[in-house]
Amino acid sequence: LPPREGCFAEWVAVPEGNLVTVPDHVPFRHAALAEPLACGWHTVALSAAQMRHALEQADCAVIGGGAIGVGAALALRAKGATRITILETNTLRMPVLERLDGIVACHPDAYTGAPHLVVDCYGGATTRAWASSSVRPGGLIAHIGLASGEGGLDARRMTLQEIGFLGTYTYTPEAFRETAAAIFDGRLGALDWLETRDLAEGPGVFDAHAAGTMAAPKTVFSVV
């Protein structure tokens, strides 16, 4: 991001105060997840502060089983939620999601619950429509996905049944450091759902993720 572009750069200049020390026992591929997982951590923190129900008693539905969705589900679990479902349409990804401890994964059509909290990590008209029709009265929709900007919300139902809508974007420096700490001390689990590829495979991996033909929620590139 400005003022210094750094995507896939060999070297990146950052202020010293932005650095987080990675403990010796943490693999770099796990530490690299701090950035995407912090998005979900930030969303869950804001949601918990705004919800009418404590996370411990809430049914939570996360739309999307990519890195942001998995991060949101793991953050929910770390912050006390016990009833968490990831909704995913990519059947290739389902076996990976089903290995997450304490988290259920299913296709949206198979979900029959009425969540207190919906975290929309896709952010399209269809997912917003699902969220605003499925969330419980008095519930909350936390919207972090950016697939499209128009359509989907049932404003009349949200008004009549006092359903909250929370827009969240990336994370704060505090949320990033909290996420890194949660990775380091194991609160986000084994993190064995990522895959590592050589950087030279990058274009093909990006195409596969965009096409929905990738099983892993997140790919970490290596130049070694």
Side-chain angles (χ1 to χ4, degrees), residues 109-129:
D109 293 344
Y111 183 80
T112 58
H116 299 91
L117 171 66
V118 178
V119 183
D120 187 350
C121 299
Y122 179 75
T126 55
T127 55
R128 284 189 291 271

Side-chain angles (χ1 to χ4, degrees), residues 159-177:
T159 300
L160 293 174
Q161 299 189 347
E162 296 188 347
I163 294 166
F165 183 90
L166 171 66
T168 74
Y169 181 61
T170 63
Y171 45 83
T172 63
E174 180 183 13
F176 183 89
R177 291 181 179 277

Side-chain angles (χ1 to χ4, degrees), residues 51-60 76 79-84 114-117 136:
M51 289 174 63
R52 300 184 183 186
H53 302 82
L55 286 178
E56 293 81 358
Q57 283 79 48
D59 290 306
C60 306
L76 284 165
K79 289 178 178 289
T82 59
R83 301 193 295 274
I84 309 163
H116 299 91
L117 171 66
R136 294 192 191 200

